[in-house]
Amino acid sequence: MRRSRYGTHLFLVVMSVMWLAPLLWTLYTSLRPKQTTDKYGYWSLHGPLTLDNFTTAWSQGRLPTYFLNSIYTTVPAVLLTLALASMMAFAVSRYTWKFNLTLLILFTAGNMLPPQVLAAPLFQMFKHVPLPYSLSTSGSLLDTYYAVIAVEVAFQLGFCTFVLSNYMKTLPAELTEAALVDGAGVWRQFRRIIMPLTRPALAALGTLQVIWLYNDFFWPLLFIQSGDRLPITTGVNSLQGQFLQDYNLIAAGATITVIPTLIVYLALQRHFVAGLTLGASKG
């Protein structure tokens, strides 16, 4: 028994070191001046530590603008995904009808397709979808937040529907049956009974969705061409010079981008753990 515990602890320690080592070294690199790393190398421990890279990255890299752009895409995408997924999960988990299982499989199967396969078709489709110039400077869905939000919602909807439907199936059926006897309609059952009981699962999914969508690099890079509309994960590329790479500055910018997701996780940690625990105990 002790040997198995020692083995488990050793495995966890090794995995923790492997996970934290790149992050800690990135933080250390961001605190070192470029002149120091040029002189001693990136794998050295010589030289002073300073916050100059962070101030330069914040001002030179226009990070405040990119942070706002990330908010414009992440918040609507997360809210829309959770709202649509909860409605779909309620339909397939609380009611029995002919195509509920088939529809759930179709939603889930969408996650099996690599996003890169759909990159070219989606780009061409958005290019030919007209929008008024009051909503889009390109006259189409390209180079707009709407394109990124639509794709993010479409790709995350299947996973969230699958998780929420499994969670809702664990809720007693007598709750909605009693509400139906009392005269509550479908919408009232969903809004007043099921949704309050699903808050832990929504908090856990919301935390994951914020982290995933905020850190997404591929779709914003594909659909947004204007530099002043890029989100933070894509906009941090502006810290790269054309002929000279300042990896200390890039490391500082990358470290700054982690702060919002860390704050969200710490703020929702209790609800996140509660959602995972309840899902596991009821499964």
Side-chain angles (χ1 to χ4, degrees), residues 23-155:
L23 299 178
L24 295 177
W25 198 260
T26 300
L27 178 61
Y28 177 67
T29 302
S30 66
L31 293 171
R32 303 181 69 192
K34 185 177 184 301
Q35 296 78 7
T36 303
T37 54
D38 289 342
K39 182 177 181 180
Y40 298 105
Y42 283 96
W43 299 103
S44 63
L45 299 176
H46 299 83
L49 301 180
T50 178
L51 296 176
D52 291 343
N53 289 323
F54 290 93
T55 57
T56 304
W58 183 262
S59 58
Q60 177 182 324
R62 298 187 299 170
L63 295 189
T65 301
Y66 297 141
F67 271 125
L68 288 177
N69 295 339
S70 292
I71 293 175
Y72 295 153
T73 57
T74 302
V75 173
V78 172
L79 294 179
L80 278 173
T81 301
L82 294 182
L84 296 175
S86 60
M87 295 178 188
M88 183 61 197
F90 176 77
V92 299
S93 63
R94 310 303 294 184
Y95 292 93
T96 302
W97 42 292
K98 188 173 182 180
F99 298 105
N100 61 343
L101 182 59
T102 304
L103 196 58
L104 180 61
I105 293 174
L106 288 176
F107 267 76
T108 309
N111 288 341
M112 307 300 177
L113 195 64
Q116 293 79 4
V117 175
L118 297 177
L122 285 175
F123 185 88
Q124 293 296 325
M125 182 178 70
F126 288 168
K127 182 179 178 180
H128 293 89
V129 174
L131 280 182
Y133 283 98
S134 58
L135 298 176
S136 171
T137 56
S138 64
S140 66
L141 268 177
L142 284 182
D143 202 24
T144 64
Y145 300 130
Y146 309 117
V148 179
I149 293 172
V151 172
E152 299 286 14
V153 171
F155 273 90

Side-chain angles (χ1 to χ4, degrees), residues 148-184:
V148 179
I149 293 172
V151 172
E152 299 286 14
V153 171
F155 273 90
Q156 298 299 324
L157 194 58
F159 171 75
C160 292
T161 300
F162 178 76
V163 173
L164 288 176
S165 63
N166 287 336
Y167 188 89
M168 290 181 183
K169 287 178 182 178
T170 64
L171 301 177
E174 291 78 6
L175 293 174
T176 51
E177 292 175 358
L180 183 61
V181 172
D182 290 338

Side-chain angles (χ1 to χ4, degrees), residues 167 170 274-283:
Y167 188 89
T170 64
L276 295 181
T277 305
L278 286 174
S281 62
K282 291 183 180 182

